Structure formats: C-alpha cells, structure tokens
Amino acid sequence: MVESKYLVDLKEKDIPLEKIGGKALNLGKMSSAGFNIPPAFIVSVDAYDFFIKKELEGKLSRILDSIDFENENSISQGCSSIRNIIKSEDLPKNLFLEINNKICNLPDGYYAVRSSAVAEDLEDASFAGQLDSFLNIKKENILEKIIDCWVSYWNDRAVKYRHDYSIGHLDTELAVAGIAVLVQKMVNADISGVTFTANPVNGTNEIVIESSWGLGEAIASGIVSPDIFVLNRDGTIVQKNIKTKKKGYFLKNGENTLITINKEKQETPSLNDEILKRLLEIGIKLEEFFGIAQDIEWAIECENQGLNDDETLNKDETNTPNIYILQSRAVTTLTEASEKDDILWTRAYGDEYWADATTPLFYDVMGKMLTDYVNHEGARIMGYTEITDTKLLKLHKSRVYFNSWVLEKAFSYYPKFARSKELLNYFPLEDQERISGYPSLLHKTLLSQILVAIRDPDGMMHKTDKAYRRWAHGFMEKCEFFDKTHLKTLTDAELLSTYNDIETSGIKHYQLIRYGMVSHSIATNLMIKNWLVKWLDDKDGSLYAGLISGLDDNKTVLMNIRFSDLAKILREDPNLLQKINSMDNLSSLNDGKIEQLISSNLDFKKEFDLFIADYGHRSNTREILYPRWKEDKAYVLEVIKLLSSSDLDLRKKELESRENRFKTEKEVSREIKEQKGGFFKEKIFSVVLNLAQTYLTFRENQRFYLDHLLFRQRLMLQDMGRRLFERQIIEEVDDVFFLYESELFMFFDTNHLSIENPLRETPLRAELNEKTAPELRDKILKRKKEFYRYKSSLPPKFIKNGIEFDDTVTEYGQNAIYGAAASPGTFNGIARVVESIEELSKLEDNEILITSNTDPAWTAVFSKVGGLITETGGILSHGAVISREYRIPAVTAVKGATSIFKTGEELVIDGNEGVVYKKKNNGT
C-alpha cells in the first residue's frame, strides 16, 4: 500500500494544525480518540502548497506585486486573475491520481467539501466564514469542489484580510497560511439533535438532550421545537418534554428537503431509552476527553428507514441506529460576568407587555423607546428622580426582563389599595409583603400629577386618550405615504432617512402609553375593582367583568368580529368550505394560490381582501422577525377555517356583551346609591368607571397602532438585511434581526457612502465589512441557536447576579393549582395544551386552552374555548381582557401550566378564585 503523501486520514494521531487547518482539527481529535464521526479525509495544506509552488507561484507572485491594496478595483482585478489561473491549471499528475483514487473508493452518497484554513484558528485573526464550503456534493464532483475551495482562498475579502494581518499569501512555511480541504460524508439523518453535558438553563451537571426527526436544520431554523430530555448522570430521566414535530428536513436527491411527518409520529418521542442512554454515555466521554462541559451536535442514521413514495416520513428509530458526532465545543459560560450586576430582574412585568421570545434587533428597536421615553423621560417629567437614568431592561435567554427596583420605586407612588395581588406578582414572594406595606406617598403622587399638567399636558388623565387618537390619525396618513414607497429603489441614505422618519413619528406613541397604560389604565381599573369588592362584595369579579365588557371601538374585538364574519360566509358556501377543509397544509399556499382558491366566492374574496387591508399589519406575535398577515395570508385563512367549524356569531355575541354591560352599569349604580353616602360614591364611581373603560380600550387599541409602526420598521429593517446579504455580510436576509442596532447601522454610515453611487461601498466601508462580517456571522449563529432553543419555553421568572430562580408553584393537595383570577366563572372541561399558534388548529369546541401567553391574534379563537389558563399575564393582559369580553373563565400566572397539565385530562377551572382543579380518577 502506497503511503499517502497529500491526503490525511482523520484517525491519525496528533495531526498538526498547519497540515489540516482549524476546521478539521477538532474532528481529527475526536476521530483519533475513537468517537464516531462521519467518514472523512483531508486534502492537506501540503497538497495545495505543492500545486501552487510547482505550477503557479511565479505567476501569482507577479500579480500580487502589482496589486494596490488601497484600491478596491485593483484588488478585485488581481484576485480575479489569480482565481482564473488556478481554475484553468491542471493538477500535477501524482497529486491528481492520489486524490482521484481516494474519491473513487468512497462509498455512495453525498459529501460536504469544506475549506479549512490554517489562519482561521489564530486567536488574533477572525478568518472564519471567508472561504467557501459546499454541501450535498456527488462523488463525481468532489474534485472540482476541492479546487473551488482552493480558489476561494483568493477571493477579494480573504486576500485583503491576509494583507492587513501580514499573513503571507504564498509563504505556507510560516504555518499561518495555506488551506486544507475537508471531505466528509453527509449524514442522511433520521434523527438529529444536541447534547449538553451541563444544563444550560440552571447550570447543574444534568445532561440535557434535544432532538427531532430529520436533519438539525429544522431545529436551527425554528421550524420545529425539539423534544427535550433532562437526565441525571446515572441515566435517570428527570424530565421529558415531547413536542409536536410536524416537519423535518431530510436529505433527498442531494437536497435538504422539508417533509411532512406522519401524524402518528408527530407527537411520538424522537428518542427511546436505549438511544438516550447511548447519547448520555457519549456526552460524558466527550466531556472527559476535552476536560470541560460540552455542547455536542449529533445525527443518527437508522437502517432501512427513510421516506415513503409520497415523501412522508416512515420511521422506526429503534432499528440499529448509528450515532455520528458532527461537532463538539465547550458549553457557553453559564453565568457571564455581565450577568453579575446585583440587580433583581423580573420577567413577570414583561409578560404583561412583551411576552414573546425576542431577537436582539427587536430588543433594541422597542427597548430603547421604553427606556428613553416611557421610563427616563416620563420619570423626569413626573419628578421620580430616583429612576431617571437607571437601566430598565435586560435580554436573557431571548426574554425581556425588567429592573424590579425601577418597578418598585414607581409602585411606591401608588396608593396602598392599588398595590394589588396582580401588581405584587411582579416581585418574589419574600418582597411582596414589604412592597405592599409601603406608606402611601400621596403628596408625591399629587406633585407628580401637577408636574405632568405643567410639563406634558397630554399626560393628564382626561387628555391622554384624545391626544393618542390625534397622533394615530396623523401616523396613519404617514403610513399611507410610506406604503407607496418602493424600498429597493432607495439609496442607503434615503432608506436610513425614511427609517428615522417613521421611528421618530412613533415616539409620541411611547410618550402617551407611559400614561395611558402604565398609569391611567392600571390605576382606574384597580380603583374600580377595589370599590366593587369593598362596596358590593364582588369577590368573584363578575360585576367588574360585566362593566368592562362590550366596550365601543375595541380594535381587537372588532378584528375578531371580522374573522367571525368571514367564517360565516365560508360556512354558508359548501363548495369553498370543502375545498379548504380538504387541504391539510394551508400554510404552504402562496398569495397566487390563495387568490385562485377563494375567487369562487366573490363575497368571501372581497371581505378577505378588506380584512388584509385593515389588519394585514398584525401578526401572531409582536416580534418583528416573523411575517405579518399581509406577508402570510395563509395564516388568516387557517384561522377562518378553524372558526368555520363553529356556528358562533361574534357580531351577535358582542351585542349581547354590550347589553349586559348596560344592565350591569345600571345595577351597580343603583346598589351604590342605596348605600350611605351613595350619591357621592356613585358620582365618583361613574367618573372613574368611564376612565377605566376608556383606558382599557386604549390599552387594546395602542397595540393596534404599535403593530402599524412595527410593520413598517420590519419592512425597512428587512430591506437593510437584503442589502447586507447581497454584500455577503450576512448569510440570510433574516439574519439581520439577530444583530443589535449598533452592529447593523455601522454598515450604513451615510458619512461613508459614495455620492456618485450610494449603493456602492467605499474602500473604508468595504474594509469594515470584511473585518467585521465574519465575527458577526459567528455571533448571529450563536444568537439564533439561543433564540430557537428558548422560544417555546419560559426561563425562570427572576435573575440576580446571573442566578435564576422562581417562586414556588403552590399546590394544595395534589389536585389544586393556584394562579391569578383573571376572568370570573367556573368551567369543567378537557384540557388542550397549545405551545405555539400553529397548534391552534387542533383546538376543539369548549376545550380549556392552556398556553404560555396569548396575543391579540390568538383571541380570534376564544369564541371556541371553554376556559383559559396561561403561564403569564395579569388582569389587564390581552388574554384576560378578551376572556372577560366573551365571558370565559380564565386563570393566569400559573407557573409551569404547559407541563403541569396534559392534553386530554379533565380539569375544573375557577376564574373567581384563580384555581385550577385536576379531576381525580373517581370523578371528584
């Protein structure tokens, strides 16, 4: 057997970095230690060096000497010449034969061909991401792709980068230059996932394994939420959370193909106990090998498995699984130094206003407004001197946390009776009694209102709602003008100017909600609730619910009525209804197919188009990463289909709610008047009730207009992402949402734009791009993994100095779980746990909906449910407000509700007391 001169087997011991490059080094270590990695070999740096020095060094050296590295065109022309020379030159015969023979002996399948540069492993030079890699390559094309990897060593950015860092282009003997190529078989994964040998949630030494059907791309892209298994190191399963896995990516004909999972497999665990045990053992061995907790990516191939002829998944993961290790790296530090700030952070307040998983860009977009205008500017106006410059927000595990000290100081200005259970729930149990016992600072409260009247008259309670309506009218006119703009035709400077104009116009929104939501809405509603309990013994909240239901001009309720109207039209058209019901996957329809589908009913089409025109700016979430309904009309059709299965008429139901409100108002007024001092009590009650109703509607409607603002911001930020993608700064357009604002806007500094051609980058800007982009791509990848890991699970409620903790869930016996009473009434029914809005299609009439939190978009289906249980929120959350509107019993703030309760079990929900009872087997 002839010894390989230019190829390296990864099983070899102690392969030096300068032979195989940084990307292959870790795989080589694992392979030589006996871990099962996909079959691979390395075309070493020596092969590249031999080819260049034997055939091309003189030609390349002359071209390099002619390049002016201060001139972008000179770099581009020189590099282009070098690339053309390398592609046109034949390989030396002995090198060609060695590589070709190796390729011919490879097993059938598809391969990854990846550049592995020596310099990408240097501590002071971020070289990663500048060279090409190719996936799903057929055997016969591997040699061509190896040469393409060599060619990519000479792209403009890489050459300029090496020049700036004084890395020799041709002097590979320096051991910091040159390129190897990793050729590795693609795993046709039946199951993929990750293993953490330290629990990333709480930092313990538990083993956490996440998995799903198919390739790992489905998890990384957020298409599915993975199954989660938490194990002790002895193999004992501590926690098992099996998710619905509707889709999966599979390697089919050399492409990653998105496949629908068979229904019986969607909720089946993707791993059995035997495979879990093997993954645990492999994880512990890798941790011992590297000497530190590991984050391990793996894939499993099962024999005789794959896709049926109809491209649905037919899996039995128990058949002789082969576990491949794809990558292993140290677990990211569990408690970063930046976490240790001695501040108590609470997620509870965010659950009222900002409950969804949050991308870095959206955290900046809305976070700076809440900090600068709601908190700091508002505190200065009202004389809250202690909190005029304090940090308000923290982004932790993709959730927004609020500084509890800022909330505590603000609440100290509230009278004692207003410090209700719902407000105190923002704080740990041990702090609630202390905060509720603060003396009432009535003189400071009065002073703050005087200061508002002087410094910001729009903040006065009788003016804020009117001021907001004026702003909303003007802003909608601006939106109409914006919607005529073609963003792609704008220069960078024009796009930035337009973005700044829309953002500046939105400041007034935040300046008014600091009063309408933070002060007026909470204060007036708590006053009404308190008086009803004190004067009329309304302990179950039924009178309160009656008084704040059926209010005029509630944008969320009006939207739901329009949904109901569309469902009624659909229900009365058997042909269109049959067509829509026969489609299992409406979400796959594009606008053209939807247009074609609904055109058979002109009334339906007209109302559908009007709905999109009026509500297309809304979404299932506030998070701007996700498309709005105008961009995802299929979702609207899904909701209409869901509602069409029920004959409930929300227009009629809303009229009933309004009549019930009028009746309740008369009853409450009469009963108050009959009390001692009733005449004066009723007068002040009537005034405050009117304000409470006004600002409850304000609370819902501000979200409608905020959605208009965010929709336009999303469109512009996405167009910035398109420009960064075209300039090869980010790998996907939507990666822009995983940048912070400071990172994004440094690429759009108008001071450095060319006047002649604003879209062409100047040399200064290009230099910034090539130095910064690779590092940013690495950050984006880490942030995306964190976002999708935590998007469907709530991290603990509190953080202090990086330590997470929760209040204890209070269980009385084994059957009673307490939360917050949000909507009165009791209901006995079957539970339906829904972790994402996509799962709402499974909801049956009169089931108890159990979810983490709800959004205005969810409330369209409330007409179907018998009760609501959420993990987050209080009496003024969207779910609670709409539950009262439809007279659905609701309990909020039930920690762990989506895991405590199971779909199909029978529950009794008591919205009067805020309790959920599990039914025993004997029916009690």
Side-chain angles (χ1 to χ4, degrees), residues 445-633:
T445 305
L446 180 61
L447 175 62
S448 70
Q449 296 308 302
I450 294 171
L451 290 173
V452 169
I454 296 170
R455 296 172 175 175
D456 189 6
D458 282 346
M460 298 173 70
M461 196 173 286
H462 66 286
K463 289 187 175 182
T464 302
D465 182 64
K466 295 183 182 70
Y468 190 87
R469 290 175 185 272
R470 287 196 301 273
W471 168 81
H473 178 77
F475 185 71
M476 290 309 300
E477 290 181 346
K478 184 175 286 290
C479 286
E480 287 181 24
F481 179 79
F482 170 87
D483 293 342
K484 297 173 185 175
T485 304
H486 297 287
L487 297 178
K488 289 184 179 180
T489 66
L490 300 181
T491 65
D492 282 4
E494 289 168 341
L495 178 60
L496 281 177
S497 177
T498 304
Y499 183 85
N500 183 64
D501 181 44
I502 291 291
E503 184 180 59
T504 302
S505 298
I507 289 174
K508 189 68 174 178
H509 161 86
Y510 294 97
Q511 290 174 325
L512 291 171
I513 68 165
R514 72 188 176 208
Y515 305 115
M517 285 186 65
V518 178
S519 175
H520 306 341
S521 177
I522 292 176
T524 56
N525 276 276
L526 289 179
M527 287 168 74
I528 291 297
K529 205 167 187 297
N530 182 67
W531 285 337
L532 287 171
V533 173
K534 187 176 179 181
W535 296 343
L536 303 181
D537 198 31
D538 184 35
K539 291 179 180 176
D540 65 0
S542 57
L543 292 177
Y544 173 71
L547 291 173
I548 60 162
S549 303
L551 301 175
D552 297 332
D553 192 33
N554 184 317
K555 300 291 186 186
T556 303
V557 172
L558 293 174
M559 177 188 76
N560 291 344
I561 288 173
R562 295 277 292 279
F563 264 127
S564 176
D565 291 345
L566 281 161
K568 184 179 179 183
I569 299 173
L570 178 60
R571 198 162 48 244
E572 294 172 352
D573 184 341
N575 292 328
L576 181 57
L577 183 62
Q578 190 275 328
K579 285 181 185 177
I580 290 177
N581 283 335
S582 66
M583 295 183 176
D584 289 333
N585 191 16
L586 283 175
S587 61
S588 64
L589 298 182
N590 58 31
D591 287 358
K593 290 182 178 178
I594 291 174
E595 185 88 5
Q596 185 178 0
L597 176 65
I598 66 177
S599 291
S600 62
N601 187 318
L602 295 181
D603 286 342
F604 183 88
K605 182 181 181 307
K606 177 185 175 184
E607 290 303 317
F608 185 88
D609 290 343
L610 284 172
F611 183 93
I612 295 298
D614 291 340
Y615 299 104
H617 66 290
R618 309 211 78 169
S619 175
N620 317 331
T621 170
R622 195 171 300 179
E623 168 54 55
I624 57 176
L625 166 68
Y626 296 110
R628 273 40 195 163
W629 291 343
K630 187 173 283 189
E631 305 165 272
D632 183 18
K633 296 177 185 176

Side-chain angles (χ1 to χ4, degrees), residues 78-288:
C79 290
S80 178
S81 299
I82 290 174
R83 292 194 297 269
N84 289 334
I85 289 171
I86 294 174
K87 284 186 75 74
S88 62
E89 189 72 29
D90 291 335
L91 293 180
K93 185 176 181 181
N94 56 342
L95 177 58
F96 169 79
L97 289 174
E98 185 173 341
I99 296 175
N100 196 55
N101 288 340
K102 181 68 175 179
I103 293 171
C104 290
N105 290 322
L106 292 174
D108 290 336
Y110 293 91
Y111 288 80
V113 182
R114 292 187 171 98
S115 301
S116 183
V118 175
E120 69 183 347
D121 205 47
L122 296 177
E123 291 184 4
D124 60 346
S126 180
F127 202 72
Q130 294 193 4
L131 307 182
D132 289 343
S133 291
F134 306 93
L135 303 178
N136 301 327
I137 304 302
K138 293 180 179 179
K139 278 175 55 174
E140 57 265 31
N141 296 327
I142 289 176
L143 181 58
E144 176 190 348
K145 295 304 178 185
I146 290 171
I147 294 171
D148 284 343
C149 286
W150 288 348
V151 167
S152 73
Y153 190 72
W154 295 95
N155 70 49
D156 299 6
R157 290 182 295 127
V159 170
K160 181 68 163 59
Y161 181 89
R162 289 196 297 273
H163 174 270
D164 290 345
Y165 280 91
S166 301
I167 299 171
H169 300 287
L170 297 171
D171 194 357
T172 53
E173 292 178 3
L174 290 175
V176 293
I179 179 174
V181 179
L182 169 67
V183 179
Q184 189 169 39
K185 193 172 187 299
M186 299 288 294
V187 178
N188 189 3
D190 297 301
I191 311 164
S192 294
V194 293
T195 300
F196 301 94
T197 64
N199 192 324
V201 173
N202 55 30
T204 66
N205 68 349
E206 294 171 330
I207 306 294
V208 178
I209 299 174
E210 299 179 354
S211 62
S212 189
W213 302 120
L215 300 165
E217 185 178 347
I219 300 174
S221 62
I223 288 174
V224 298
S225 296
D227 295 337
I228 300 173
F229 306 87
V230 181
L231 300 90
N232 287 324
R233 293 192 167 231
D234 62 4
T236 308
I237 298 176
V238 177
Q239 180 185 337
K240 185 186 291 187
N241 191 353
I242 306 305
K243 304 296 181 70
T244 301
K245 304 168 288 294
K246 291 185 178 180
K247 301 279 187 180
Y249 276 102
F250 295 87
L251 188 59
K252 183 177 175 63
N253 299 325
E255 294 184 359
N256 291 353
T257 306
L258 189 62
I259 301 297
T260 299
I261 308 296
N262 283 344
K263 287 188 176 179
E264 63 270 19
K265 283 288 184 183
Q266 289 181 6
E267 297 187 21
T268 301
S270 48
L271 299 175
N272 60 28
D273 291 350
E274 178 188 342
I275 301 177
L276 281 170
K277 182 180 178 183
R278 288 180 59 188
L279 287 169
L280 179 140
E281 291 171 350
I282 292 168
I284 292 174
K285 286 179 181 177
L286 278 166
E287 181 182 80
E288 292 172 349

Side-chain angles (χ1 to χ4, degrees), residues 737-753:
F737 296 108
F738 294 91
L739 297 174
Y740 288 99
E741 273 194 345
S742 60
E743 296 168 334
L744 168 62
F745 290 129
M746 69 181 173
F747 294 105
F748 291 95
D749 187 345
T750 52
N751 294 324
H752 300 298
L753 292 172

Side-chain angles (χ1 to χ4, degrees), residues 275-512:
I275 301 177
L276 281 170
K277 182 180 178 183
R278 288 180 59 188
L279 287 169
L280 179 140
E281 291 171 350
I282 292 168
I284 292 174
K285 286 179 181 177
L286 278 166
E287 181 182 80
E288 292 172 349
F289 177 71
F290 286 109
I292 192 171
Q294 293 292 292
D295 172 354
I296 305 155
E297 294 182 26
W298 47 262
I300 298 176
E301 284 185 347
C302 305
E303 289 186 4
N304 303 320
Q305 305 304 308
L307 305 175
N308 294 326
D309 292 336
D310 62 354
E311 291 195 355
T312 56
L313 177 66
N314 179 25
K315 291 269 163 226
D316 181 355
E317 74 281 9
T318 60
N319 284 16
T320 56
N322 194 355
I323 301 174
Y324 291 104
I325 305 303
L326 306 180
Q327 192 169 181
S328 188
R329 63 175 73 84
V331 174
T332 305
T333 305
L334 296 167
T335 303
E336 303 285 351
S338 60
E339 296 274 16
K340 297 183 178 180
D341 49 24
D342 204 34
I343 295 171
L344 174 64
W345 297 95
T346 175
R347 197 198 69 240
Y349 189 69
D351 291 346
E352 293 279 7
Y353 186 76
W354 200 345
D356 299 312
T358 301
T359 58
L361 189 54
F362 187 41
Y363 173 74
D364 274 355
V365 166
M366 196 157 76
K368 70 181 180 185
M369 293 294 178
L370 294 180
T371 299
D372 293 347
Y373 297 103
V374 177
N375 181 16
H376 291 171
E377 185 181 83
R380 282 194 294 272
I381 288 171
M382 300 176 79
Y384 297 177
T385 54
E386 309 99 315
I387 53 175
T388 54
D389 57 1
T390 308
K391 184 178 179 183
L392 179 67
L393 304 173
K394 175 197 254 334
L395 186 62
H396 175 77
K397 292 183 177 175
S398 299
R399 300 285 168 164
V400 176
Y401 285 73
F402 281 72
N403 186 332
S404 68
W405 186 81
V406 174
L407 299 178
E408 183 177 326
K409 285 297 176 185
F411 293 160
S412 72
Y413 287 81
Y414 285 28
K416 274 190 177 183
F417 73 83
R419 297 174 207 156
S420 66
K421 177 182 176 183
E422 290 79 16
L423 291 185
L424 293 174
N425 186 51
Y426 301 150
F427 305 95
L429 287 171
E430 63 182 16
D431 293 329
Q432 291 182 13
E433 186 175 349
R434 172 178 57 80
I435 294 169
S436 66
Y438 269 164
S440 297
L441 304 175
L442 294 180
H443 64 290
K444 286 193 174 183
T445 305
L446 180 61
L447 175 62
S448 70
Q449 296 308 302
I450 294 171
L451 290 173
V452 169
I454 296 170
R455 296 172 175 175
D456 189 6
D458 282 346
M460 298 173 70
M461 196 173 286
H462 66 286
K463 289 187 175 182
T464 302
D465 182 64
K466 295 183 182 70
Y468 190 87
R469 290 175 185 272
R470 287 196 301 273
W471 168 81
H473 178 77
F475 185 71
M476 290 309 300
E477 290 181 346
K478 184 175 286 290
C479 286
E480 287 181 24
F481 179 79
F482 170 87
D483 293 342
K484 297 173 185 175
T485 304
H486 297 287
L487 297 178
K488 289 184 179 180
T489 66
L490 300 181
T491 65
D492 282 4
E494 289 168 341
L495 178 60
L496 281 177
S497 177
T498 304
Y499 183 85
N500 183 64
D501 181 44
I502 291 291
E503 184 180 59
T504 302
S505 298
I507 289 174
K508 189 68 174 178
H509 161 86
Y510 294 97
Q511 290 174 325
L512 291 171

